[in-house]
């Protein structure tokens, strides 16, 4: 184990001890200014529209909620002041919003979760030719592969701005890459890219020797509160809004862990085009590459893909899809 891994492991251990002074669905905030971050279900009425609340927290002494629009799958942080809120249990909330894209996507993800690898939704609904790009940021001591983002901005400068993409981010990556994270936030502020922030777990433990059935999140003793809620808190503390999407580390899961993840109200997202493994994208594919410096083959393949589609991009015949919009189109009311 190298020096970087030793430092990160010790730091992560300290965070775990600090956060988990008690068990259950409550997580103590490792970040200053946040506490009582818990699962919570209710219906909030905001500007005449009903949203599903899935989390409650105290942020800098003020009560906030994390809510999802069940029709569009977009999420937002809501201050408690100025909204009308009705608490419901999860079963009642599902009945209330049953025919929305959110609950239809949750049900679809559950049905696609039998295999040990690549559980969840792996393909979107293409209106035209194009793909949904997901970039995983697993723990790494290497810098962000910024060429992915600059290449996207360059290719789509005249046809699609901001360029939509999804970043699957881990807590450990955020802790170690503050400059890279700030750079990404600047691109968003300049409206050059639009990011859907996907939860990729906090620790992302992986063993080079353990079989898949006891590896990644399937490792015995894994705390799903910390892996899911801890990552959401880390996002919020850094000015990011967690989406309702989750990507399993290594794309490894089983039915039991999928059911646990779904209980947090997040939708597992897989991929049918992991470029570094030689999988070829088709219209509507959810493409996977790693942008953490550890997958140069995947990054190179994506740059080649962009160049090969240059003429189609210019003619608006090959587009980048927003993950929330792609799944809204796929699972919205009226879809079978």
């Amino acid at each position: 184990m190298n020096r970087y891994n030793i430092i990160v492991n010790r730091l992560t251990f300290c965070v775990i001890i600090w956060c988990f002074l008690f068990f259950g669905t409550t997580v103590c905030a490792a970040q200053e200014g946040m506490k009582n971050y818990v699962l919570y279900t209710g219906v909030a009425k905001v500007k005449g529209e009903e949203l599903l609340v899935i989390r409650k927290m105290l942020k800098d002494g003020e009560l906030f909620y994390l809510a999802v629009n069940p029709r569009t799958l977009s999420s937002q942080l809501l201050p408690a002041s100025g909204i009308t809120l009705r608490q419901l249990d999860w079963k009642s909330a599902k009945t209330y919003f049953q025919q929305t894209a959110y609950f239809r996507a949750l049900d679809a993800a559950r049905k696609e979760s039998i295999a040990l690898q690549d559980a969840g939704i792996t393909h979107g609904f293409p209106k035209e030719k194009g793909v949904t790009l997901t970039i995983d940021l697993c723990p790494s001591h290497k810098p962000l592969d910024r060429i992915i983002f600059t290449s996207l901005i360059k290719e789509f400068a005249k046809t699609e701005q901001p360029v939509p993409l999804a970043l699957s981010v881990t807590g450990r990556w955020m802790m170690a890459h503050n400059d890279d994270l700030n750079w990404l936030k600047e691109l968003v502020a300049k409206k050059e890219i639009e990011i859907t922030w996907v939860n990729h777990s906090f620790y992302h433990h992986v063993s080079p020797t353990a079989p898949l059935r006891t590896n990644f999140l399937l490792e015995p003793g894994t705390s799903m509160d910390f892996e899911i809620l801890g990552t959401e808190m880390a996002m919020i503390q850094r000015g990011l809004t967690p989406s309702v999407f989750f990507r399993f580390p290594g794309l490894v899961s089983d039915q039991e862990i999928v059911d646990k993840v779904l209980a947090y109200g997040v939708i597992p997202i897989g991929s049918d085009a992991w470029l570094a493994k030689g999988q070829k994208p088709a219209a509507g594919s959810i493409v996977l590459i790693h942008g953490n410096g550890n997958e140069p083959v995947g990054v190179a393949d994506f740059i080649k893909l962009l160049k090969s589609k240059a003429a189609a991009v210019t003619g608006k015949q090959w587009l980048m899809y927003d993950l929330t919009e792609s799944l809204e189109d796929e699972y919205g009311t009226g879809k079978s």
Side-chain angles (χ1 to χ4, degrees):
M1 182 178 292
N2 62 34
R3 182 173 178 271
Y4 166 79
N5 286 332
I6 293 173
I7 293 172
V8 170
N9 287 342
R10 288 176 178 172
L11 180 58
T12 302
F13 179 76
C14 291
V15 172
I16 293 172
I17 295 300
W18 192 4
C19 285
F20 288 92
L21 299 179
F22 55 93
F23 299 98
T25 57
T26 302
V27 179
C28 294
Q31 295 87 17
E32 183 181 356
M34 288 190 67
K35 61 181 180 179
N36 299 341
Y37 192 90
V38 296
L39 297 175
Y40 182 92
T41 310
V43 179
K45 198 163 188 178
V46 182
K47 297 180 180 179
E49 189 164 30
E50 289 184 319
L51 306 178
L52 174 65
V53 171
I54 59 174
R55 307 282 188 268
K56 181 173 69 171
M57 74 206 78
L58 283 176
K59 185 174 181 292
D60 299 324
E62 184 179 355
L63 182 61
F64 277 82
Y65 300 99
L66 177 64
V68 55
N69 185 320
R71 289 159 291 278
T72 67
L73 298 172
S74 61
S75 58
Q76 59 183 289
L77 283 177
L78 300 174
S81 58
I83 67 170
T84 302
L85 180 67
R86 175 165 56 100
Q87 186 174 8
L88 290 176
D89 59 52
W90 183 254
K91 183 178 179 180
S92 299
K94 182 175 181 179
T95 300
Y96 192 75
F97 291 116
Q98 189 168 16
Q99 294 305 314
T100 60
Y102 173 69
F103 279 105
R104 290 167 70 97
L106 280 172
D107 288 341
R110 180 179 285 107
K111 293 174 184 176
E112 299 296 329
S113 301
I114 298 174
L116 188 59
Q117 289 187 279
D118 211 14
I121 295 169
T122 61
H123 199 88
F125 181 78
K127 291 180 180 177
E128 302 176 53
K129 291 183 178 180
V131 298
T132 298
L133 176 62
T134 60
I135 303 170
D136 284 8
L137 297 177
C138 313
S140 172
H141 66 280
K142 297 179 181 178
L144 179 73
D145 274 315
R146 298 190 180 192
I147 190 174
I148 301 170
F149 306 92
T150 55
S151 297
L152 278 169
I153 293 167
K154 179 181 177 181
E155 291 296 334
F156 288 92
K158 295 181 180 179
T159 59
E160 194 174 3
Q161 279 196 312
V163 184
L165 53 93
L167 286 185
S168 305
V169 64
T170 57
R172 282 174 57 193
W173 188 90
M174 287 187 284
M175 290 170 63
H177 295 271
N178 191 59
D179 288 344
D180 283 330
L181 186 58
N182 285 336
W183 182 76
L184 290 168
K185 290 165 66 175
E186 288 173 6
L187 295 182
V188 173
K190 291 188 291 187
K191 299 188 182 303
E192 293 182 318
I193 61 173
E194 183 176 1
I195 298 175
T196 297
W197 297 98
V198 177
N199 191 329
H200 196 34
S201 80
F202 194 97
Y203 186 47
H204 195 298
H205 177 266
V206 57
S207 167
T209 57
L212 289 183
R213 297 185 191 283
T214 57
N215 214 334
F216 297 99
L217 289 185
L218 300 181
E219 181 186 27
T222 297
S223 168
M224 294 307 295
D225 271 357
F226 184 63
E227 298 294 348
I228 294 180
L229 300 185
T231 306
E232 290 178 1
M233 286 195 300
M235 288 183 185
I236 293 170
Q237 198 64 19
R238 288 160 176 79
L240 315 177
T241 302
S243 72
V244 291
F245 303 116
F246 182 86
R247 171 160 280 162
F248 283 103
L251 295 183
V252 171
S253 63
D254 61 16
Q255 190 64 58
E256 181 180 357
I257 200 73
V258 168
D259 288 340
K260 287 181 180 180
V261 167
L262 291 170
Y264 288 87
V266 291
I267 303 167
I269 298 296
S271 170
D272 61 351
W274 187 339
L275 297 188
K277 290 193 173 184
Q279 297 173 355
K280 303 299 182 183
S285 284
I286 296 179
V287 173
L288 167 60
I289 60 174
H290 284 76
N292 62 348
N294 289 341
E295 193 181 75
V297 173
V299 173
D301 285 347
F302 181 71
I303 302 303
K304 288 180 185 177
L305 177 64
L306 272 183
K307 291 181 178 179
S308 72
K309 300 294 183 180
V313 168
T314 303
K316 297 187 178 181
Q317 298 301 308
W318 197 81
L319 305 172
M320 300 298 294
Y321 289 110
D322 177 272
L323 180 61
T324 56
E325 292 179 357
S326 180
L327 297 191
E328 176 193 357
D329 290 338
E330 176 73 3
Y331 297 104
T333 303
K335 297 291 182 183
S336 58

